[in-house]
Amino acid sequence: MKIRFFKSKNGIFPKEIHEEFERVFVNGEKLNAKFLSDSKYSSELSVNNGKDLDIKNESQFKIAKAIAESLGGKSKIKTYRDKYGLWLWLTFAYADLIFGEDKEGKKKILRQDNYWPNDVKDYQTAARHRIRGLCMMYASHGDNADFLLNRPLSVRGELMENLSQSPEFTDKTIYLTFRKLFWNASKKSAKKGYASKVCGARDLVSDIKKLMYTHAVELMTVDELIEILHPRFKDKWL
Amino acid sequence: MKLALKPLGRVDIPQANIIILSSRKELPDAGFYPVISKLEVKGNYDENLEIFLKVKKNTQVETIKCGTIKNQTLPNERFLSHWVSNEISFTYFIQLISPADSKVVASMKSPQSIDDDSKDNKDVAPVGTRFTDTSPRLWRLKMSEGEKPVIEISKDIEDQGFIDNLIFLNSILPNVVLEIGGFLLANRAHLDDEGWFKDWKKFFEAMEINDFEEVGDEEDEITRWLNRLVDRYCVRFKSNLYNPLIEKLNSSNESMEDF
């Protein structure tokens, strides 16, 4: 289907959309599919060269790529950052794939900002949105986003959590340093232990943040940055 | 006396040493994006240091190298073209970097905000400046219906850079706004005429002053309105005028010591 967006008046969505959101993303009920195509609530997005969007269960990377193609290409994604009706419609569209399960097999429902596209000015929660967040990562890093997005939509992951917590960390050098240390490119999988307390992703975030006081790490190459990191990272991962 | 510890040996770049302006470009059917139209770092720094600019809007950060102190360059016009929105303001932060090891040698104390509504960001400023004979006054404001307001400054001042002096600007600009506001109020029938009246009306509206028609003719009502206008102006430009001056004045009292 063609990609669509929910209509709003002065930024306010109809109460039916709010009610359906609560039913699906708070109470865990199944989406009423009519909301995706009913022209009372949504309109087709006018996109030059936009492909049809095929909603299917695939990795976050492939989903981000499919959404990018439906928006006219990777370079266009960021221009839609504050088009809340679009991200809300996409969340509805992927509702069947977005939830994980707890140990008892019940639907695991997370904080509302995982599903509701919060104001982009809210730096604490905006990046948490499950669809917009992965699309922005893909927009910033293209094929190199594979190591973050190689998982089902229902799994957020430690790496994504750490790399999206601070806007500075979308920088290419920092991002590729994470990739070089934690990603096994030949096996296309994350190295075992990347979420460990010592030498893991959170430890690396902390070390790089300290270095940003003294160095313009964004101007360095990945190898230069690795050289000034605490040697424990190099010893452990390279 | 304040004692600032500088364990990293990093130097602060005074706000007065930085000139940065932005304007807006339209992306059809989508909105506007900011374009950095001027960037200049002044001061006595090693000419080989690289200028590193970080800009931030909401949760988005972009960085770019803008040449060296000796050869300063502007970011490409499309640098921020993906920041499409109707809200153009953003914050910027500048560091001076050693090219040999990417170490931060100097940096701003904190990020500062910029938006394209400020008069300095327009191609044609709504007020002009001119060095002329104003003695015994240091400056005066010349206004007429036909020509936009001009701040005339004493030609006896040899340093032409004086018009960027923060003490001077902080002292005169609120008075300039006061006088222009009074002039516009007295000529409010012509506010929508093409020319500088309309430009200033828009400028005041950007500060959410748009009740020209509602102000009565009583002197105390006019005075109250003008005071509100000047206060609003000072608040709006506090980060460009008041804060950097206070910071500059206070920093001259600091005794710095490296560890």
Side-chain angles (χ1 to χ4, degrees), chain B residues 107-120:
Chain B
S107 75
M108 290 167 59
K109 271 190 171 176
S110 61
Q112 297 290 319
S113 63
I114 181 169
D115 84 48
D116 71 339
D117 286 334
S118 84
K119 65 179 175 57
D120 289 333

Side-chain angles (χ1 to χ4, degrees), chain B residues 30-212:
Chain B
F32 299 88
Y33 64 87
V35 173
I36 295 171
S37 52
K38 186 171 184 179
L39 176 64
E40 194 180 333
V41 180
K42 298 181 286 187
N44 189 23
Y45 304 107
D46 181 337
E47 62 182 20
N48 294 313
L49 290 178
E50 293 173 332
I51 298 169
F52 183 47
L53 172 69
K54 287 188 190 187
V55 291
K56 184 174 182 182
K57 182 183 179 183
N58 303 327
T59 53
Q60 305 175 82
V61 173
E62 296 294 341
T63 59
I64 192 166
K65 203 160 68 177
C66 298
T68 61
I69 289 291
K70 186 180 181 186
N71 296 310
Q72 305 193 11
T73 56
L74 265 184
N76 183 290
E77 191 177 285
R78 296 193 59 83
F79 171 49
L80 301 173
S81 61
H82 53 285
W83 284 10
V84 179
S85 170
N86 288 321
E87 169 66 50
I88 301 295
S89 60
F90 60 92
T91 63
Y92 67 94
F93 187 65
I94 291 173
Q95 295 175 313
L96 300 181
I97 307 296
S98 160
D101 52 12
S102 297
K103 276 194 175 170
V104 180
V105 175
S107 75
M108 290 167 59
K109 271 190 171 176
S110 61
Q112 297 290 319
S113 63
I114 181 169
D115 84 48
D116 71 339
D117 286 334
S118 84
K119 65 179 175 57
D120 289 333
N121 293 328
K122 290 181 181 173
D123 291 337
V124 182
V127 63
T129 52
R130 175 160 64 217
F131 284 86
T132 186
D133 184 9
T134 62
S135 174
R137 295 186 183 195
L138 187 67
W139 70 281
R140 69 184 173 215
L141 185 67
K142 192 174 177 200
M143 270 192 298
S144 68
E145 283 184 28
E147 187 190 3
K148 71 179 183 184
V150 177
I151 301 170
E152 293 184 336
I153 304 165
S154 170
K155 66 177 182 176
D156 296 336
I157 300 170
E158 290 177 3
D159 177 11
Q160 302 280 301
F162 179 68
I163 53 173
D164 288 331
N165 182 297
L166 278 169
I167 295 176
F168 179 60
L169 292 175
N170 270 280
S171 306
I172 72 158
L173 288 180
N175 290 299
V176 168
V177 170
L178 181 76
E179 281 200 48
I180 291 174
F183 194 83
L184 291 189
L185 205 56
N187 294 279
R188 64 183 109 174
H190 303 288
L191 284 180
D192 291 312
D193 294 357
E194 282 304 322
W196 74 268
F197 275 32
K198 198 172 178 179
D199 292 342
W200 274 88
K201 185 188 171 202
K202 279 188 195 163
F203 177 55
F204 288 157
E205 283 172 346
M207 297 192 301
E208 294 173 357
I209 297 283
N210 44 24
D211 54 351
F212 282 91

Side-chain angles (χ1 to χ4, degrees), chain A residues 28-159:
Chain A
E29 296 172 46
K30 195 162 172 57
L31 178 85
N32 180 349
K34 79 160 187 174
F35 282 97
L36 294 178
S37 52
D38 191 333
S39 59
K40 185 179 170 191
Y41 303 111
S42 66
S43 296
E44 199 173 293
L45 193 68
S46 171
V47 177
N48 281 337
N49 305 318
K51 289 186 180 174
D52 281 3
L53 181 63
D54 188 10
I55 312 280
K56 55 185 177 186
N57 192 1
E58 52 193 349
S59 71
Q60 293 180 19
F61 181 78
K62 286 185 176 169
I63 288 174
K65 203 169 178 180
I67 293 172
E69 286 171 352
S70 70
L71 291 174
K74 179 169 78 71
S75 64
K76 302 288 190 303
I77 295 177
K78 288 187 177 178
T79 63
Y80 291 100
R81 185 185 286 267
D82 59 1
K83 303 290 183 269
Y84 302 102
L86 168 67
W87 301 113
L88 189 57
W89 184 86
L90 284 166
T91 316
F92 276 48
Y94 282 96
D96 286 344
L97 307 172
I98 212 165
F99 298 104
E101 290 181 347
D102 63 19
K103 287 173 188 168
E104 294 164 356
K106 287 183 184 165
K107 204 178 261 187
K108 198 172 165 184
I109 297 173
L110 305 173
R111 287 170 51 133
Q112 191 171 309
D113 42 34
N114 282 271
Y115 315 116
W116 186 272
N118 270 6
D119 189 336
V120 291
K121 289 176 186 164
D122 185 344
Y123 71 96
Q124 289 181 313
T125 62
R128 197 174 281 138
H129 188 264
R130 302 305 288 268
I131 307 287
R132 187 173 56 189
L134 64 94
C135 287
M136 291 306 149
M137 278 292 175
Y138 179 70
S140 294
H141 303 292
D143 287 346
N144 285 325
D146 56 354
F147 93 103
L148 267 191
L149 306 178
N150 72 325
R151 57 197 78 235
L153 189 57
S154 57
V155 179
R156 181 161 165 85
E158 176 86 5
L159 281 170

